[in-house]
Amino acid sequence: MDSRQKILLIDDDEEDYMIIRDMFCDFPQKLFQLEWVSSFQEAQEKIKLKEHAAYLVDYRLGKTTGLDLISETAAMGPFILLTGQGDHDVDVEAMKRGADDYLVKSQLSPHLLERSIRYAIKRTQIMKELKNSEDRLRGLYDERLQMEEQILVQDRLASIGLLASSLAHEIGNPLGVMRGRAEMILMQPDGNPTVVKNTEIILSQIDRISKLIRSLLNLARGDETKTVTNVNVGEVLVDVLDLLGPEFSKASIKIENHIQPETLVRAETGPLHQVFLNLLVNAVHAIQSSIREGVRREHSISISAVQRHMDCMVQISDTGSGISESNMKLLFKPFFTTKEIGQGTGLGLATSYRLVD
């Protein structure tokens, strides 16, 4: 098997090819094997194959020049430009286009040609190694930045955990008082049916707030789920849809709920409720943003699910303004938000991701 490196000569003059072929035969070490093509088009096809260690390119190639070829394929090099006569301007332009060396045919010798080829190949290898090292260093630097960012996020979440613990106590007391008063109303004989119904709604919302506070505390402390049961996804979703009903009506949003009643998952009702709430609030905000931008059409939110055994994939899509490509990779980053101040904290999707995880 021939272990010599292939060198491609691109020259439309057969006599020049024969001269350079003879020089190859006189190289002190037989490291290279010469191949020849005589046209610009043939050269393009050969270079695409990436079978050659270096390319010798004649300056004149019919109606085109070797500089044109080098410009098109500089990344495939190394290239050594050959000319009939020395020209400083051509030399400078060759370097600009990506040539690794510039040789005048009348001054060529086997030693000079062999040395130029070796140096061009070696220089290309060194540049590739440097680029690989640079890529590795950049990767390490990016990893360090990500680690530092994660530490900062963890510090902020730890602070939120302490704040949440304090708030849970402060909020829990008035909630307990409100619940007690609501229960007293229900105990009144001959209560007005409307009052009774509204009081029951108040009690259910108080319980929901209490559950959300517990979820926030568990999230901040990193507690694992301990009360996993079979949860009906459809029932949790209907509960959230009822809660957001006024928001849907205000923005004239049509809800398309395709989830089957028998869809079950192993989960906790409270956290799953919170996930759906966060996603649907985001969908409402996206549609509201679209309306502010002047998009006039019938807006809707579509919800569907695919279940395999106890695994379930829920998909929520909306006709809102969408997510830009640049923001896609930041979706679950804590505190990242595109919403106006007062509309979002940037924790909704981050919290949902962690709850599902």
Side-chain angles (χ1 to χ4, degrees), residues 156-352:
R156 293 176 76 180
L157 286 175
S159 300
I160 288 175
L162 292 173
L163 179 62
S165 298
S166 300
L167 283 176
H169 179 72
E170 295 299 325
I171 294 173
N173 287 336
L175 280 179
V177 173
M178 292 165 63
R179 196 176 206 294
R181 295 300 174 91
E183 288 174 345
M184 287 176 62
I185 294 173
L186 287 180
M187 292 169 63
Q188 297 295 324
D190 303 322
N192 183 299
T194 302
V195 173
V196 169
K197 181 179 179 182
N198 288 331
T199 305
E200 288 174 344
I201 291 173
I202 290 171
L203 281 170
S204 69
Q205 296 308 306
I206 289 172
D207 291 340
R208 176 170 292 147
I209 293 171
S210 299
K211 288 179 181 178
L212 288 175
I213 291 172
R214 284 198 297 273
S215 296
L216 178 61
L217 284 171
N218 290 339
L219 182 68
R221 292 196 298 257
D223 291 354
E224 292 185 2
T225 295
K226 296 178 182 176
T227 56
V228 171
T229 58
N230 287 343
V231 175
N232 188 308
V233 176
E235 289 179 0
V236 176
L237 183 61
V238 167
D239 200 20
V240 177
L241 293 175
D242 288 343
L243 183 64
L244 291 175
E247 297 296 326
F248 300 143
S249 299
K250 195 187 306 180
S252 300
I253 299 171
K254 179 184 176 183
I255 300 299
E256 299 172 0
N257 184 3
H258 303 293
I259 291 186
Q260 299 299 316
E262 66 274 10
T263 305
L264 299 176
V265 292
R266 296 286 292 170
E268 275 191 295
T269 302
L272 189 58
H273 183 283
Q274 188 177 351
V275 170
F276 285 148
L277 184 64
N278 288 342
L279 293 176
L280 287 166
V281 166
N282 276 2
V284 171
H285 286 169
I287 289 174
Q288 289 173 339
S289 175
S290 180
I291 292 172
R292 284 195 299 271
E293 291 169 2
V295 179
R296 301 297 176 187
R297 64 170 178 233
E298 184 179 289
H299 285 286
S300 63
I301 297 175
S302 177
I303 308 156
S304 59
V306 176
Q307 184 164 30
R308 292 179 181 174
H309 306 295
M310 290 305 291
D311 291 333
C312 181
M313 182 180 72
V314 178
Q315 177 173 302
I316 299 176
S317 60
D318 61 73
T319 56
S321 52
I323 303 167
S324 69
E325 199 67 36
S326 59
N327 287 338
M328 287 297 289
K329 59 184 179 182
L330 302 171
L331 282 183
F332 303 110
K333 181 180 178 182
F335 308 106
F336 171 77
T337 181
T338 59
K339 298 174 184 176
E340 297 176 1
I341 295 174
Q343 273 205 328
T345 61
L347 285 172
L349 287 180
T351 300
S352 298

Side-chain angles (χ1 to χ4, degrees), residues 10 37-47 61 64 69:
I10 303 156
V37 293
S38 59
S39 72
F40 190 97
Q41 289 73 25
E42 285 180 287
Q44 287 177 311
E45 295 302 318
K46 284 284 188 181
I47 291 171
L61 291 174
T64 58
L69 181 64

Side-chain angles (χ1 to χ4, degrees), residues 47-193:
I47 291 171
K48 286 178 185 177
L49 298 175
K50 300 181 182 180
E51 294 178 344
H52 300 84
Y55 304 92
L56 305 173
V57 185
D58 189 22
Y59 178 64
R60 297 292 179 190
L61 291 174
K63 295 179 180 180
T64 58
T65 70
L67 292 177
D68 297 324
L69 181 64
I70 292 171
S71 294
E72 284 189 14
T73 55
M76 308 286 192
F79 290 92
I80 299 169
L81 187 70
L82 306 177
T83 66
Q85 295 180 343
D87 187 322
H88 177 72
D89 291 339
V90 174
D91 184 358
V92 172
E93 186 62 25
M95 297 302 115
K96 286 182 180 178
R97 301 281 186 101
D100 291 82
D101 206 350
Y102 169 86
L103 300 175
V104 180
K105 289 181 180 179
S106 59
Q107 299 173 2
L108 275 182
S109 67
H111 173 74
L112 177 61
L113 182 58
E114 189 263 352
R115 182 174 177 274
S116 178
I117 293 171
R118 276 192 298 107
Y119 278 31
I121 293 173
K122 185 64 177 176
R123 187 160 49 247
T124 299
Q125 290 173 343
I126 291 172
M127 292 305 294
K128 285 181 180 178
E129 290 170 3
L130 283 173
K131 187 180 184 306
N132 290 336
S133 297
E134 182 183 346
D135 290 342
R136 284 195 296 270
L137 285 172
R138 186 179 289 112
L140 290 171
Y141 178 70
D142 290 343
E143 284 180 16
R144 179 175 176 177
L145 287 180
Q146 289 174 3
M147 288 178 64
E148 290 176 352
E149 189 175 345
Q150 287 174 2
I151 290 170
L152 288 173
V153 168
Q154 287 169 0
D155 287 344
R156 293 176 76 180
L157 286 175
S159 300
I160 288 175
L162 292 173
L163 179 62
S165 298
S166 300
L167 283 176
H169 179 72
E170 295 299 325
I171 294 173
N173 287 336
L175 280 179
V177 173
M178 292 165 63
R179 196 176 206 294
R181 295 300 174 91
E183 288 174 345
M184 287 176 62
I185 294 173
L186 287 180
M187 292 169 63
Q188 297 295 324
D190 303 322
N192 183 299

